[in-house]
Amino acid sequence: MGAMTAGTSPSPTERRETPHRSGFACFVGRPNAGKSTLTNALVGTKVAITSNRPQTTRHTVRGIVHRPDAQLVLVDTPGLHKPRTLLGERLNDVVRTTWAEVDVIGFCLPADQKLGPGDRYIATELAGIKKTPKVAIVTKTDLVEPQQLAQQLIAIDRLGKELGIEWAEIVPVSAVGDQQVDLLADLLVPLLPEGPTLYAEGDLTDEPEQVMVAELIREAALEGVRDELPHSIAVVVEEMLPREGRPADRPLLDIHANLYIERPSQKGIIIGPKGRRLKDVGTKSRKHIEALLGTPVFLDLHVKVAKDWQRDPKQLRKLGF
């Protein structure tokens, strides 16, 4: 056989050096630790819903980071917290199962807040999951001076030693200022197993569209009433149907959705004076839904009462939890 000319194809050693990796990562951390913002920064588009309240990410929304050498699938688990309701307990079970199944766990700790009991509670749970590599991610670094950041890094290192967690990495990032988000991906990728791509290039999330639409409506509904109704809104998309008889170049998607609240007294809060709030919710969420689905949407929203749904197993099942 003649000698191979340079540049025709990589030599076997080069090929071996960069195997394709693919796998799952999840970000954990107390509420408002910057998990969803980080997911969005890595994926480059809005997938998980961001909120400064705990427990808004109800479903495992996955963002997918496509790179030439790897595919990183981000699994967004609900926050882990001390359960007060049946919903809380069920969410915590989901969290633990997810943690045991992913390839790497990113523990998000905001740079601007001292480590507290909430962080310790999660870290203690993490210490119990032995096999999965854990990366400590210090978020919101744009909000602090270098000295405060250094103290936080030392505190995290100490927390790991105390609980017997060996951090695979400790990485400072600012998703807002885009600082080091790529570096974070560079550090997470080597922790993934070798394997083929799991999702097609165009996919950003594999969450069923109906669930994502429900999340967008719920996010819009919570805006402005979070203090009065923090978790007592559930959204169920009853149906999504293309409108019949529309020309092919002007499709319209009819979406019928119900917003469930726990008590009749909450109905007025959601609907607002002369129905203005509900109309607002429709307008806001419709924009996001159209961007997500890439098609014009007619959104039909109704508010219904499902008494104390957070504590009732039957209702929880019906509402998809």
Side-chain angles (χ1 to χ4, degrees):
M1 259 186 69
M4 253 178 68
T5 51
T8 50
S9 87
S11 70
T13 48
E14 280 174 315
R15 259 205 303 269
R16 256 204 310 280
E17 267 166 36
T18 53
H20 188 278
R21 295 179 180 275
S22 57
F24 295 85
C26 77
F27 294 139
V28 303
R30 60 189 153 117
N32 204 12
K35 302 182 290 285
S36 297
T37 311
L38 192 55
T39 300
N40 295 337
L42 277 164
V43 175
T45 180
K46 187 169 177 169
V47 277
I49 68 171
T50 52
S51 143
N52 53 5
R53 272 293 171 133
Q55 295 300 327
T56 44
T57 316
R58 283 268 168 76
H59 299 274
T60 309
V61 178
R62 298 175 174 85
I64 302 162
V65 183
H66 298 277
R67 294 170 65 117
D69 59 333
Q71 193 173 59
L72 177 66
V73 183
L74 303 170
V75 186
D76 204 17
T77 48
L80 185 83
H81 61 111
K82 295 190 170 130
R84 283 187 300 276
T85 62
L86 181 65
L87 173 67
E89 277 169 44
R90 201 164 284 184
L91 286 169
N92 279 0
D93 291 342
V94 171
V95 172
R96 288 197 191 88
T97 330
T98 307
W99 288 7
E101 288 168 358
V102 297
D103 300 300
V104 56
I105 298 171
F107 182 20
C108 297
L109 300 129
D112 62 334
Q113 294 165 37
K114 279 202 153 66
L115 299 189
D119 299 316
R120 188 167 285 273
Y121 176 71
I122 294 170
T124 310
E125 291 282 332
L126 280 180
I129 294 166
K130 293 284 182 237
K131 286 198 182 87
T132 318
K134 298 158 201 72
V135 173
I137 303 166
V138 188
T139 58
K140 309 187 184 187
T141 54
D142 51 305
L143 302 179
V144 299
E145 295 297 318
Q147 194 189 350
Q148 195 181 342
L149 176 59
Q151 284 167 343
Q152 189 72 321
L153 295 172
I154 293 165
I156 290 166
D157 185 51
R158 205 174 287 145
L159 179 69
K161 289 199 169 77
E162 194 186 313
L163 297 171
I165 300 172
E166 201 174 310
W167 303 118
E169 306 276 356
I170 300 179
V171 199
V173 297
S174 159
V176 178
D178 242 358
Q179 290 161 337
Q180 292 185 293
V181 172
D182 285 341
L183 168 72
L184 175 62
D186 291 341
L187 294 172
L188 292 174
V189 163
L191 299 169
L192 302 177
E194 291 179 22
T197 52
L198 304 162
Y199 294 90
E201 178 68 62
D203 293 352
L204 292 169
T205 170
D206 76 341
E207 192 61 24
E209 283 177 349
Q210 255 165 286
V211 175
M212 287 192 72
V213 166
E215 286 286 338
L216 289 170
I217 295 169
R218 186 164 177 271
E219 182 180 24
L222 278 171
E223 231 168 85
V225 296
R226 276 205 175 89
D227 298 336
E228 298 154 278
L229 312 173
H231 308 317
S232 36
I233 302 175
V235 176
V236 176
V237 172
E238 298 296 335
E239 56 178 16
M240 287 170 48
L241 295 169
R243 176 85 55 96
E244 281 179 23
R246 297 279 294 195
D249 57 341
R250 293 205 3 260
L252 183 67
L253 188 66
D254 283 315
I255 299 179
H256 301 278
N258 291 327
L259 278 84
Y260 288 95
I261 46 181
E262 294 193 294
R263 289 184 294 285
S265 60
Q266 298 170 338
K267 214 165 176 171
I269 301 175
I270 286 286
I271 292 172
K274 298 198 170 137
R276 276 202 297 271
R277 282 236 54 244
L278 190 63
K279 209 171 153 194
D280 253 15
V281 170
T283 312
K284 266 205 191 97
S285 55
R286 200 183 73 237
K287 276 200 199 96
H288 287 307
I289 293 165
E290 290 182 336
L292 172 77
L293 303 176
T295 173
V297 160
F298 172 79
L299 189 56
D300 175 40
L301 292 181
H302 294 273
V303 179
K304 300 194 167 185
V305 180
K307 214 162 123 1
D308 290 331
W309 64 265
Q310 298 200 42
R311 294 174 192 281
D312 175 352
K314 219 158 65 216
Q315 301 261 27
L316 279 172
R317 265 199 305 282
K318 196 181 107 188
L319 299 174
F321 298 112

